[in-house]
Amino acid sequence: MAIRELKVCLLGDTGVGKSSIVCRFVQDHFDHNISPTIGASFLTKTVPCGNELHKFLIWDTAGQERFHSLAPMYYRGSAAAVIVYDITKLDSFQTLKKWVKELKEHGPEDIVVAIAGNKNDLGDIREVPMKEAKEFAESIAAIFIETSARNAVNVEELFQKISKQIPPLQNAEVESNDSFKLTRQPNPTTRRCC
Amino acid sequence: MRSRDSVPAANMAAEELPSDFDIVILGTGLAESVVAAACSRVGQRVLHLDRRSHYAANWASFTFNGLLTWIEEQKEESKPEKIEDWSSLVEEGEELIHLSNSDPASITNLQVFSYTSEEEEADEPNTIEEEKAAGEDAVKESSETESAGSKEEEDAGPAEEEEPAETEEEEPEADQPPTSPPSNQSEPVRKKISHAQLVKEGRRFNIDLVSKLLFSRGSLVDLLIKSNVSRYAEFKNVTRILTYRHGNIEQVPCSRADVFASRQLSVVEKRKLMRFLTSCMEETEEQTAYSGRPYSEFLRDQQLGESLQHFLLHSIAMVTEDTPTEEGLASTRHFLRCLGRYGNTPFLFPVYGLGEIPQCFCRMSAVFGGIYCLRHSVHCLIVDKDTNRCKAVIDSRGQRISCSHVVLEDSYLDADRKRTATPPRYLSRAVLITDASVLPSDPDQQISMVTVPPTTTGGPSVKMVELSSSTMTCIPGTYLVHLTCQSVGSAHEDLLPVVTRIFRTTEPQEEDRRPSVLWCLYFNMADGSALEVEGHRVPSNVYVCSGPDGALGHEHTIRQAESIFQKILPEEEFCPPAPNPEDIIYDGDNASPGEDRAAVENGGNQEENQEKEGNQEENQEKEGNQEENQEENQEKEGNQENQEKKGDQEENGVNQEPEE
């Protein structure tokens, strides 16, 4: 099966559970006290989708969202973005629009957008009605799902939904046009200078 | 849930920074960003600030619209700074050093020309432009008529207008017609691409303030690979080397394949060139005999013929007529060594532009706990009078943030504290958006390095980089052309002669096949290499970084960053590889966050563990490398395969994962 690498970037206010979602998805692990973004360039997990394998490269904000200082390079080449809010914090929902705008500004044009209302295990102190969030997501043609990283609810589903929305591989003009990453042992070509 | 929970974004502005760091870094240019990454990587608590709203300082790249805004800002910046009284924050035995909060000297002589017009009146664009040119150079000097300003004024012939610009910020429509005012009068259909289209598709441009390339075996490439920062960026090969000669653009054959495929070289020339390139890799007595004498003389005596001499001097060694032979040979060898590592030319260019590179290092720093805040100024350094060390900084909100070291971009220092070369040196830059390549070819997505020897005796030699849309720096159907040279006069004076020779800025004539300029920008930037390494009037734990220099590669900056890092942390390794993604373990069990500071510290600890892992990994990798190198020589694999290898390595990494 062909492996397709898909960059996914996470957005959302500090503390809504972005890292917890990734951690649950990638390592099926939840910890109340993670100080998560330390040391993680991005995390990866491969899931089957149709006759392809999707290898998600999930980029966390590394805290750069905290003072609103995410770099444009963060968004480059993302196939999808997950914007997370906390269903128990109205503020974090209200700033969704800001993240959507930021994504429109800096993100790739054809990016798949998913909105995740996290912490739905805390329904009793919910501040954001599901209906409202869902309507908003629909209005911007985004995937919508409520998750609980803590209880492992809908986290897999979130990424499955994203997988399904990723357009099938085309002739991939842009991707195949020979840009490359620098690696430890670069290829020696048969050509030498002289 | 996590106790350090959310600060709603709405209140973001109000959130205070933590108040204790190991290292405070001001400015997000390349050198500062590399230092930030290096320090965070080995567990230092880094606060990285920039007063601007964008990353990468004078290394930044902008969307088209972003660039228009930047141009505006350059003109506005000349407000006098109000000095606030922070004396209440100063304790006994301490004194303040005030920092500069604008950067009036580094960008000067800004001029913008748009050749896309609205009406069909053909000559319109030009006339506007010329008037503009006159009033316009003023744009920048105004602020502080000191070193930079005054020097530039002389050069900037047409710019006698400049006044204290604060008083008349208007700049009567000077350069603006084509730019930011919502294009009241400049959208035509004369050209295929209108100004409106440039603006509309503006976000697909990534226009660098600096024009450089990465030598495939240069220190930046080595550092990117060594540190694993290379994960964050993708690159393209520069596909051809061109040169301007006898009024034409010609391709320079440099790899073996090029030489043999070349149609402009005779068989004899091919043989001579190959022989020369082979022989110059080793030092010979003949070469030593020319030591101290110009490389051009050495070349002349090799019976190479005029065109080969031109290629070797201007395009391969990229030196001037009077560069000494040993230096010329060293550059030639460097060029040759860099061939074939990734492609047919020695150079790489980052997809989305050079401005990505500082951002990549910032991300590495953030990933290891570095705290980032743009639009945030620091007003003063607090210095202990006895030790002459900086103990803390005061930010624009009057917060006292303590630190053990400060690294800052030179523009934060007042002129009288810096030691720079006299007279000051500048780079002349032009950025052009054109509608065709300077040397059209079948696959039209070329990335070209073009060397333009001095057009007048004593004039500057110009380096030109032409980017196609495949680099994601301009829209399909356009090319982005960067010109750079050492300033002799203003950027416009230095570069206009080259621009008008190679490009068309007037109505198309029959027969004239030169690319048309749709839009262009000229400016001077302070030459970072003019900043002295030592001798600044700053406390002993304050380190000054320079902006971009005029060389094609990044050696100056990387050397500077590494040397600063070694002064701060002499015992530590510079940018050891970050662990592979698969090796990351979320280990929070013993964490007791409470508040942000705790989270940061705790991050530091955790990071130490990771570092150990990282080292192990590195050793293993080293062994691995050797094997692979051997293989490499036998196997000659291609790029793709190579990447798969990387993949394999990563998977191996998973197996090494020590614990859960």
Side-chain angles (χ1 to χ4, degrees):
Chain A
M1 254 193 290
I3 293 194
R4 221 171 131 190
E5 291 199 346
L6 299 172
K7 175 173 166 182
V8 178
C9 60
L10 289 172
L11 292 171
D13 291 355
T14 303
V16 294
K18 296 185 292 298
S19 304
S20 302
I21 289 178
V22 192
C23 189
R24 172 60 74 194
F25 178 58
V26 173
Q27 301 178 339
D28 198 17
H29 177 73
F30 180 84
D31 195 299
H32 288 255
N33 297 325
I34 51 176
S35 59
T37 355
I38 304 286
S41 298
F42 46 82
L43 294 176
T44 65
K45 176 160 175 171
T46 306
V47 295
C49 176
N51 52 4
E52 289 179 337
L53 284 177
H54 284 176
K55 181 178 183 185
F56 286 109
L57 311 181
I58 308 167
W59 286 45
D60 208 332
T61 53
Q64 283 178 308
E65 86 288 5
R66 188 164 146 211
F67 298 101
H68 203 60
S69 300
L70 273 173
M73 62 81 67
Y74 181 67
Y75 304 94
R76 304 285 190 217
S78 297
V82 180
I83 312 179
V84 184
Y85 69 94
D86 175 349
I87 67 154
T88 70
K89 296 253 164 30
L90 187 56
D91 280 339
S92 75
F93 178 69
Q94 284 164 342
T95 52
L96 270 190
K97 288 197 178 75
K98 187 200 67 179
W99 292 113
V100 171
K101 180 165 167 275
E102 178 130 353
L103 194 60
K104 285 257 156 13
E105 218 167 283
H106 298 292
E109 281 149 85
D110 46 2
I111 193 167
V112 172
V113 181
I115 290 176
N118 194 33
K119 306 193 187 177
N120 91 335
D121 48 297
L122 300 179
D124 50 332
I125 52 168
R126 173 192 287 275
E127 288 184 5
V128 183
M130 178 137 86
K131 181 162 171 286
E132 198 179 319
K134 203 169 170 195
E135 281 169 7
F136 173 70
E138 276 164 10
S139 76
I140 58 161
I143 296 167
F144 174 77
I145 195 164
E146 281 198 354
T147 56
S148 164
R150 184 193 205 178
N151 294 351
V153 175
N154 278 345
V155 175
E156 297 268 345
E157 288 76 1
L158 165 66
F159 286 90
Q160 279 165 11
K161 284 184 177 221
I162 291 173
S163 258
K164 279 189 207 133
Q165 288 229 347
I166 300 290
L169 207 51
Q170 298 156 353
N171 290 345
E173 243 172 72
V174 184
E175 275 155 305
S176 71
N177 75 1
D178 67 16
S179 59
F180 51 90
K181 288 209 152 63
L182 306 182
T183 54
R184 257 158 220 283
Q185 63 294 321
N187 64 306
T189 60
T190 48
R191 278 180 198 160
R192 301 204 43 230
C193 58
C194 40
Chain B
M1 303 282 84
R2 278 192 277 156
S3 43
R4 68 178 175 117
D5 260 0
S6 59
V7 180
N11 303 336
M12 223 170 240
E15 188 181 2
E16 287 229 326
L17 292 168
S19 58
D20 184 21
F21 287 90
D22 296 314
I23 300 170
V24 171
I25 302 180
L26 308 179
T28 49
L30 181 58
E32 302 92 279
S33 301
V34 171
V35 174
C39 292
S40 299
R41 180 64 188 85
V42 297
Q44 297 289 302
R45 297 163 306 150
V46 170
L47 174 64
H48 199 172
L49 305 175
D50 200 311
R51 62 181 169 231
R52 305 169 183 84
S53 56
H54 60 83
Y55 275 95
N58 279 350
W59 301 80
S61 51
F62 294 104
T63 63
F64 186 65
N65 310 25
L67 185 63
L68 299 181
T69 311
W70 177 83
I71 291 168
E72 283 304 293
E73 284 168 5
Q74 297 313 302
K75 292 185 247 158
E76 284 162 12
E77 227 174 324
S78 42
K79 302 168 214 129
E81 288 169 34
K82 45 177 192 269
I83 308 252
E84 308 214 21
D85 181 17
W86 301 120
S87 48
S88 60
L89 294 166
V90 179
E91 291 161 18
E92 215 177 303
E94 296 175 345
E95 64 184 353
L96 292 179
I97 293 179
H98 286 273
L99 299 180
S100 165
N101 272 306
S102 63
D103 181 13
S106 76
I107 305 289
T108 47
N109 298 328
L110 207 72
Q111 284 173 259
V112 179
F113 300 87
S114 180
Y115 299 97
T116 51
S117 65
E118 184 150 32
E119 288 103 16
E120 278 290 18
E121 303 166 35
D123 49 45
E124 212 225 306
N126 255 342
T127 50
I128 297 181
E129 303 319 332
E130 293 315 323
E131 294 165 21
K132 235 192 270 173
E136 155 143 322
D137 316 29
V139 166
K140 240 339 258 197
E141 274 90 309
S142 35
S143 47
E144 289 182 26
T145 317
E146 24 140 77
S147 54
S150 47
K151 184 258 176 186
E152 286 302 336
E153 271 155 43
E154 292 160 24
D155 311 324
E160 261 2 302
E161 299 285 39
E162 93 270 349
E163 301 295 1
E166 315 91 274
T167 57
E168 31 145 11
E169 212 37 277
E170 282 307 332
E171 283 291 330
E173 110 282 0
D175 36 309
Q176 271 340 75
T179 58
S180 49
S183 22
N184 26 19
Q185 44 127 275
S186 49
E187 263 77 74
V189 220
R190 183 167 70 92
K191 298 264 163 52
K192 288 169 289 182
I193 294 179
S194 65
H195 191 78
Q197 201 173 341
L198 294 181
V199 170
K200 184 160 158 269
E201 303 208 50
R203 71 196 290 278
R204 299 172 69 187
F205 284 91
N206 283 292
I207 304 173
D208 288 318
L209 295 183
V210 175
S211 177
K212 284 177 175 291
L213 297 173
L214 286 78
F215 278 94
S216 70
R217 293 185 195 277
S219 48
L220 178 54
V221 166
D222 288 348
L223 180 62
L224 285 165
I225 293 173
K226 172 186 160 162
S227 61
N228 280 342
V229 171
S230 56
R231 284 197 190 113
Y232 302 142
E234 294 206 347
F235 293 84
K236 282 186 167 285
N237 285 308
V238 171
T239 55
R240 53 186 191 175
I241 312 280
L242 307 177
T243 191
Y244 183 73
R245 186 164 157 262
H246 302 325
N248 291 309
I249 299 283
E250 293 178 18
Q251 181 151 4
V252 177
C254 48
S255 71
R256 175 184 276 263
D258 285 352
V259 173
F260 287 116
S262 169
R263 264 175 285 161
Q264 79 238 56
L265 295 183
S266 69
V267 177
V268 178
E269 281 178 313
K270 285 181 186 179
R271 205 173 301 142
K272 279 181 179 170
L273 180 58
M274 288 311 295
R275 197 182 309 134
F276 179 83
L277 293 177
T278 313
S279 73
C280 81
M281 287 310 280
E282 284 152 30
E283 220 166 291
T284 63
E285 277 179 32
E286 194 197 358
Q287 294 167 8
T288 347
Y290 279 86
S291 195
R293 291 160 61 194
Y295 190 46
S296 52
E297 241 171 65
F298 174 75
L299 292 175
R300 205 168 302 139
D301 295 348
Q302 301 294 309
Q303 272 116 36
L304 289 163
E306 195 254 337
S307 51
L308 293 185
Q309 285 180 50
H310 176 106
F311 294 158
L312 285 164
L313 186 74
H314 297 294
S315 307
I316 293 181
M318 294 182 283
V319 296
T320 62
E321 297 278 344
D322 28 75
T323 307
T325 300
E326 58 276 20
E327 211 177 293
L329 280 167
S331 318
T332 306
R333 289 184 193 125
H334 188 223
F335 183 102
L336 295 175
R337 266 196 300 272
C338 291
L339 281 176
R341 187 177 190 185
Y342 296 102
N344 272 343
T345 75
F347 307 116
L348 299 173
F349 185 81
V351 181
Y352 301 107
L354 274 174
E356 296 292 285
I357 305 290
Q359 295 178 52
C360 291
F361 282 98
C362 289
R363 174 159 174 90
M364 181 59 85
S365 172
V367 158
F368 284 93
I371 292 193
Y372 278 80
C373 194
L374 299 177
R375 301 168 215 88
H376 203 102
S377 297
V378 162
H379 281 188
C380 348
L381 308 178
I382 297 180
V383 184
D384 184 299
K385 284 185 195 158
D386 291 337
T387 59
N388 188 33
R389 289 178 68 85
C390 175
K391 298 162 70 177
V393 301
I394 298 177
D395 77 359
S396 47
R397 295 184 199 145
Q399 186 184 352
R400 182 178 164 129
I401 299 167
S402 62
C403 58
S404 317
H405 300 272
V406 174
V407 177
L408 44 75
E409 171 192 321
D410 70 320
S411 72
Y412 282 82
L413 281 184
D414 288 339
D416 65 335
R417 292 196 171 269
K418 297 187 258 202
R419 220 175 104 224
T420 50
T422 45
R425 292 202 297 271
Y426 292 85
L427 308 175
S428 285
R429 289 272 294 118
V431 179
L432 281 56
I433 300 172
T434 68
D435 68 349
S437 172
V438 292
L439 186 62
S441 67
D442 184 11
D444 62 345
Q445 294 294 300
Q446 301 277 353
I447 306 172
S448 313
M449 164 75 202
V450 193
T451 54
V452 186
T455 45
T456 54
T457 34
S461 61
V462 176
K463 295 190 186 80
M464 182 162 111
V465 175
E466 184 189 74
L467 304 168
S468 61
S469 61
S470 68
T471 58
M472 313 297 268
T473 59
C474 57
I475 57 177
T478 66
Y479 289 79
L480 187 61
V481 182
H482 289 281
L483 293 91
T484 313
C485 68
Q486 287 291 331
S487 298
V488 177
S490 72
H492 188 250
E493 290 164 347
D494 289 344
L495 296 171
L496 185 67
V498 173
V499 171
T500 50
R501 276 192 175 90
I502 299 178
F503 302 93
R504 205 172 55 203
T505 53
T506 53
E507 261 307 273
Q509 311 284 318
E510 296 289 317
E511 311 278 295
D512 189 348
R513 327 204 85 187
R514 293 174 302 166
S516 292
V517 179
L518 304 174
W519 185 90
C520 73
L521 162 71
Y522 294 90
F523 61 93
N524 288 96
M525 184 184 283
D527 178 351
S529 70
L531 186 80
E532 299 289 342
V533 180
E534 303 284 347
H536 308 291
R537 268 204 319 123
V538 293
S540 58
N541 58 343
V542 173
Y543 313 88
V544 187
C545 295
S546 65
D549 65 328
L552 185 60
H554 297 78
E555 327 306 304
H556 170 81
T557 308
I558 301 306
R559 200 182 319 123
Q560 183 177 57
E562 183 163 5
S563 114
I564 289 174
F565 175 81
Q566 278 158 357
K567 281 181 205 157
I568 299 174
L569 298 161
E571 308 287 299
E572 296 283 355
E573 189 188 349
F574 182 59
C575 291
N580 288 321
E582 281 83 357
D583 299 340
I584 305 292
I585 298 120
Y586 279 96
D587 168 23
D589 293 332
N590 47 6
S592 55
E595 47 162 309
D596 297 299
R597 279 288 300 107
V600 172
E601 262 159 19
N602 158 24
N605 293 339
Q606 186 185 345
E607 195 268 326
E608 262 169 39
N609 298 335
Q610 272 169 1
E611 197 192 335
K612 277 177 208 148
E613 281 165 39
N615 286 342
Q616 279 172 15
E617 179 192 321
E618 189 196 22
N619 293 336
Q620 281 162 1
E621 259 168 40
K622 266 185 198 152
E623 289 164 28
N625 260 352
Q626 279 166 7
E627 284 166 30
E628 263 147 344
N629 282 338
Q630 288 166 3
E631 267 178 62
E632 218 176 72
N633 295 335
Q634 297 157 356
E635 279 186 0
K636 334 233 158 179
E637 337 123 285
N639 223 342
Q640 260 72 12
E641 206 172 330
N642 184 14
Q643 292 198 347
E644 280 168 25
K645 264 213 164 135
K646 169 84 195 300
D648 289 346
Q649 257 186 22
E650 282 180 9
E651 270 150 45
N652 290 341
V654 175
N655 299 336
Q656 294 160 13
E657 193 169 305
E659 78 222 65
E660 214 359 61

